[in-house]
Amino acid sequence: LRSKAAGEELAAALLGRQQGLRPVTLVGYSLGARVIKHAVDALDAADMEGCAGGRGLIQDVVLVGAPLDTSAETWAPLRRVAAGRVVNCCMSSTGDWMLQFV
């Protein structure tokens, strides 16, 4: 999946401190939200492996029309990695053209 590769690149950039020392707020719409989810999963995995970790790199996460399920397994990494708020601006699948195909 391209979204997974893009998410892993985003995670690598964040772990490499390309943004400097300040935490970032990530905002994604539709498939961009999926990229953020993959990035968060990679950051969470880095923490689990004992690397210099992904915690503290992300302040807030805002997902708009995210093609994600509602399971605890999906949302737990987002809560672990984000230092601040995780906002899910859910739209109905009939209101989002792209979500109709995911």
Side-chain angles (χ1 to χ4, degrees):
L1 291 167
R2 288 185 181 170
S3 62
K4 184 174 183 183
E8 290 169 354
E9 286 294 321
L10 176 58
L14 291 171
L15 285 169
R17 301 288 184 171
Q18 298 296 316
Q19 78 285 5
L21 298 177
R22 298 175 69 190
V24 298
T25 295
L26 299 177
V27 180
Y29 171 75
S30 193
L31 293 178
R34 192 175 202 88
V35 170
I36 291 172
K37 174 63 173 119
H38 287 300
V40 165
D41 288 343
L43 292 171
D44 190 47
D47 277 342
M48 298 296 181
E49 293 170 4
C51 292
R55 299 211 202 296
L57 297 175
I58 298 175
Q59 179 62 37
D60 300 311
V61 175
V62 179
L63 305 174
V64 182
L68 303 173
D69 63 38
T70 58
S71 69
E73 295 82 26
T74 297
W75 294 93
L78 285 156
R79 291 301 313 140
R80 282 193 297 267
V81 172
R85 297 182 68 189
V86 175
V87 180
N88 179 24
C89 303
C90 183
M91 301 165 67
S92 70
S93 61
T94 58
D96 187 324
W97 182 82
M98 182 57 75
L99 289 180
Q100 292 179 20
F101 299 100
V102 177

